Amino acid sequence: MRNAIFLLKHVGFYNVLKDISNFGFEGSTLKKIFEKMIIDEEKKKEEKNEKLLVNLCECYIFQSNLFSYKLLSICVSCLLKVALKKEGNEETQKEVEMALLALSCFDRRYNFQRDLFLNEIKEIILNHQMYRNLTRLAYQSAWEFLINRLPNNSLEEEMVNELHIIRESIRELEELSTSVDWKKKEEEMGKTERKAMHIISRWIRSIGNYFYSCKLWNEEYVGLISRLADVFLVSRDNYGEISKQCIYIFETVAGNRAVKLDTLLKSSAIDAVLEEIYRPTLNQRITFGLFVIFDEISKRLKEEEKDEKKEAKRKATKRKVFVKQEEEGYEDIIISFHEVFRFFCR
């Protein structure tokens, strides 16, 4: 059993880190065995083996895609006890990292009570901001647990104003980006650099989910989008999936009415994506993403025409957009592809 648990945790850890789904576990006898073992261990009044229960819960969460409410409650409660440990030694940090990584697997499909477990995660985040006692992966996973609880207006307000999600995301992306050599391919990197790259990818996915749900405006968005533009530029040669994730975020931001249009124009996102158009190897996904961004901007400008009070500001913003489009004949490119784009969008 000890060897089986070690193997399943090891496989599960890397599946989650690399965003690989495993559907073979569902409906298997092994899943039923784990469910029975977890419930039986939880029921024990005396001689409960807490370490075994934690290991079982982590294995189960890493491998499973579907959870009953009963199993969900047992696993989350059990892992939060581990995640709340505050000792700074390496062994405890690893235990906390594994527990938080498992907790980050619960996405918005699992609608346990909105306020359930949030206080504990917020305590973990605030404690780290004060003492820096978590690993980078553990910290990102704690944020992912919160982001997966959105949309939730009161939670979003706390994340922005008390936990400072934008500021922390900028800092983490900046520090992680400078810790890797983007000119190397993944197979050329050492273990530490590869892990940092996977954490960057997880941060970007989480930020994308945040922008999809967010309803509050924050001026720090400009800095975060500019940081993502930097990541886009350095990742496009060797880490195409990361650059595509950045494009998806720019599309999401362009379409999110809570995010001001000036944010995109003040940030370096548009310039970064336009730069890709003139590269010898044109990426289809990035080209399409650029059309989506400008299409969303165009729609929003038309919406603002209806509000006379915004007319002057709308015209100023429109002029900025046209300047971007007219640079080096880009307006002609948009016109020539306009009908193709409209057909594709249908």
Side-chain angles (χ1 to χ4, degrees):
M1 176 57 70
R2 184 169 62 240
N3 290 339
I5 286 173
F6 176 82
L7 175 62
L8 285 171
K9 282 180 66 171
H10 186 74
V11 171
F13 177 88
Y14 283 100
N15 279 353
V16 175
L17 200 62
K18 297 185 178 184
D19 195 31
I20 299 171
S21 296
N22 171 24
F23 296 98
F25 190 66
E26 304 304 328
S28 67
T29 304
L30 183 60
K31 179 174 180 176
K32 294 175 183 176
I33 291 172
F34 267 94
E35 290 176 340
K36 184 177 185 307
M37 290 178 70
I38 290 170
I39 291 169
D40 289 348
E41 196 63 41
E42 171 64 20
K43 283 180 180 176
K44 290 180 181 178
K45 300 296 182 185
E46 298 178 1
E47 299 181 0
K48 183 186 291 188
N49 188 333
E50 294 286 354
K51 188 170 183 179
L52 174 61
L53 182 59
V54 169
N55 285 330
L56 290 171
C57 288
E58 288 172 347
C59 287
Y60 179 72
I61 293 170
F62 282 147
Q63 302 298 330
S64 190
N65 294 292
L66 298 170
F67 308 90
S68 68
Y69 184 81
K70 184 175 184 179
L71 266 295
L72 183 72
S73 298
I74 292 173
C75 290
V76 174
S77 299
C78 172
L79 296 179
L80 275 175
K81 290 178 185 176
V82 178
L84 284 163
K85 290 182 178 180
K86 293 183 173 62
E87 297 90 335
N89 61 72
E90 187 176 350
E91 183 179 353
T92 301
Q93 281 189 327
K94 289 295 182 185
E95 290 175 2
V96 171
E97 178 182 271
M98 190 70 79
L100 285 169
L101 184 65
L103 287 168
S104 73
C105 295
F106 294 118
D107 63 25
R108 65 192 72 195
R109 290 175 296 171
Y110 304 105
N111 292 319
F112 42 79
Q113 290 177 311
R114 286 291 184 190
D115 297 330
L116 203 58
F117 312 122
L118 294 183
N119 288 335
E120 291 88 344
I121 295 292
K122 286 185 282 189
E123 179 186 336
I124 289 167
I125 289 173
L126 287 170
N127 192 68
H128 173 74
Q129 290 176 0
M130 187 175 294
Y131 300 108
R132 299 296 168 191
N133 61 319
L134 298 175
T135 65
R136 291 195 182 279
L137 178 57
Y139 189 47
Q140 187 281 325
S141 298
W143 273 113
E144 190 154 338
F145 183 91
L146 283 186
I147 292 169
N148 285 338
R149 304 278 71 75
L150 296 175
N152 179 327
N153 291 343
S154 60
L155 174 59
E156 185 185 345
E157 190 171 347
E158 288 181 86
M159 289 167 66
V160 171
N161 298 323
E162 296 178 32
L163 303 178
H164 307 290
I165 181 173
I166 310 300
R167 181 195 71 193
E168 291 296 295
S169 299
I170 294 170
R171 185 185 55 76
E172 287 292 311
L173 280 177
E174 183 172 3
E175 292 180 5
L176 282 162
S177 295
T178 55
S179 69
V180 298
D181 183 350
W182 292 92
K183 294 179 181 178
K184 291 181 181 177
K185 296 185 183 296
E186 184 175 349
E187 58 269 20
E188 298 171 335
M189 289 184 171
K191 183 178 179 181
T192 303
E193 279 188 305
R194 284 199 301 271
K195 187 174 181 180
M197 195 64 74
H198 290 311
I199 300 171
I200 290 171
S201 181
R202 282 173 60 84
W203 265 112
I204 293 172
R205 285 198 303 271
S206 296
I207 292 167
N209 290 335
Y210 173 77
F211 274 122
Y212 180 79
S213 302
C214 71
K215 292 179 171 54
L216 295 178
W217 162 249
N218 189 298
E219 290 184 0
E220 291 178 323
Y221 287 169
V222 176
L224 179 54
I225 296 169
S226 292
R227 174 53 54 190
L228 289 168
D230 293 340
V231 173
F232 166 75
L233 289 173
V234 294
S235 66
R236 57 188 178 175
D237 288 330
N238 293 324
Y239 298 91
E241 287 305 312
I242 289 180
S243 63
K244 288 175 187 175
Q245 288 170 18
C246 293
I247 286 290
Y248 168 75
I249 293 177
F250 302 152
E251 293 172 15
T252 303
V253 169
N256 187 335
R257 271 49 179 175
V259 181
K260 295 182 180 180
L261 276 179
D262 282 352
T263 299
L264 268 178
L265 298 170
K266 287 179 183 176
S267 74
S268 52
I270 300 294
D271 291 327
V273 182
L274 281 172
E275 186 180 315
E276 183 70 17
I277 291 292
Y278 301 105
R279 279 161 59 85
T281 53
L282 191 60
N283 183 289
Q284 255 187 336
R285 175 64 185 88
I286 291 172
T287 306
F288 176 71
L290 183 60
F291 287 129
V292 171
I293 291 165
F294 276 109
D295 189 52
E296 290 293 345
I297 291 173
S298 177
K299 288 176 186 175
R300 292 178 65 179
L301 288 170
K302 287 178 182 177
E303 290 170 6
E304 290 184 2
E305 284 180 10
K306 300 173 184 177
D307 190 339
E308 292 182 3
K309 293 180 181 178
K310 295 181 180 178
E311 182 64 15
K313 185 176 180 182
R314 184 194 71 78
K315 287 181 178 178
T317 304
K318 190 172 183 178
R319 279 195 298 273
K320 291 179 185 177
V321 174
F322 285 159
V323 167
K324 297 280 186 186
Q325 291 181 350
E326 289 169 359
E327 286 177 355
E328 300 184 36
Y330 186 71
E331 186 178 15
D332 295 334
I333 297 175
I334 289 182
I335 292 170
S336 65
F337 279 96
H338 184 65
E339 289 303 318
V340 177
F341 178 60
R342 284 170 61 85
F343 175 79
F344 188 78
C345 283
R346 294 193 191 104

